[in-house]
Amino acid sequence: MIDRKGRGIEVFYKKGKFCLNCDFDIRVIREDENDTDLFIPVENRTVNLYFEDFPSYLKSRLQFLMVRNIIIRFCSREDNNVCTVHLLRNIDLQSSHVNFEINYENHIIEIIDKEYFIDMKIKEKINT
């Protein structure tokens, strides 16, 4: 499948229990026996962040403007299924709009390219 910019889409990255479905290039920038850092350039786009099972008082999404890059660091040890997601204004971690942790054991991260924005969804895995 080809996106609106002529790029192939639906890049699926899986390592252990960590799963990422992404319409953008995924680069491994650091990897050791415990941690992996993924770098995803998203071209200064607006990111709409959705969590499955949002509390009822949050009606829609969290929105972050002018996100240049996303970095995801996840632990690949059997006893630690936590990843940290950083939405960055620039290339370094000091330019973070926000960062948050996810227990990814039963969840998948989707980063979907829309025409004017990006949908980032944290969803429960099917058939875990």
Side-chain angles (χ1 to χ4, degrees), residues 95-113:
S95 71
S96 181
H97 282 287
V98 67
N99 68 71
F100 54 92
E101 291 183 332
I102 300 168
N103 181 332
Y104 62 80
E105 181 175 11
N106 297 313
H107 291 81
I108 184 170
I109 300 170
E110 292 185 342
I111 302 173
I112 309 302
D113 189 5

Side-chain angles (χ1 to χ4, degrees), residues 46-91:
T46 297
V47 173
N48 295 320
L49 178 60
Y50 299 89
F51 291 94
E52 196 168 83
D53 297 326
F54 244 14
S56 62
Y57 56 86
L58 291 174
K59 292 298 178 191
S60 168
R61 57 167 162 55
L62 302 174
Q63 187 174 71
F64 302 92
L65 305 176
M66 296 185 66
V67 175
R68 183 172 177 187
N69 302 297
I70 299 171
I71 292 181
I72 302 173
R73 172 176 286 168
F74 68 93
C75 185
S76 52
R77 293 190 344 234
E78 281 289 321
D79 64 338
N80 186 343
N81 297 305
V82 174
C83 72
T84 305
V85 178
H86 301 265
L87 303 181
L88 306 177
R89 289 185 189 114
N90 212 325
I91 198 161

Side-chain angles (χ1 to χ4, degrees), residues 32-48:
D32 63 28
E33 65 274 358
N34 295 318
D35 295 318
T36 301
D37 290 356
L38 303 177
F39 180 82
I40 305 161
V42 294
E43 306 167 355
N44 289 318
R45 308 277 300 283
T46 297
V47 173
N48 295 320

